[in-house]
């Protein structure tokens, strides 16, 4: 959702850079932006899972 909002509502950021690069057919820039967004998303997901394991240490355990 954040990427979509960034593409619509702002004139800066990684998603906006990818969108504007697509207008000028700068494929390399679009691919780099997509890879950056993917790496950030994956990293933030791992960080959230680690935080959940530390904070909610009883999660997933029965009994």
């Amino acid at each position: 959702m954040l990427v979509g909002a960034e593409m619509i509502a702002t004139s800066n950021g990684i998603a906006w850079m990818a969108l504007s690069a697509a207008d000028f057919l700068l494929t390399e820039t679009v691919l780099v932006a997509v890879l950056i967004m993917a790496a950030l998303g994956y990293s933030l997901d791992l960080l959230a899972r680690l935080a959940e394991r530390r904070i909610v240490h009883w999660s997933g355990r029965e009994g």
Side-chain angles (χ1 to χ4, degrees):
M1 290 184 96
L2 183 61
V3 174
E6 186 179 317
M7 287 178 147
I8 294 170
T10 70
S11 60
N12 55 13
I14 298 170
W16 184 82
M17 178 183 72
L19 190 62
S20 65
D23 290 339
F24 295 103
L25 299 175
L26 301 172
T27 308
E28 298 86 9
T29 305
V30 173
L31 290 176
V32 168
V34 168
L35 289 174
I36 290 170
M37 288 186 284
L40 282 172
Y42 184 72
S43 300
L44 289 173
D45 181 60
L46 288 177
L47 185 64
R49 289 176 191 226
L50 177 65
E52 180 185 19
R53 270 189 242 126
R54 288 187 166 267
I55 295 169
V56 189
H57 54 85
W58 62 87
S59 178
R61 296 185 187 169
E62 291 186 30

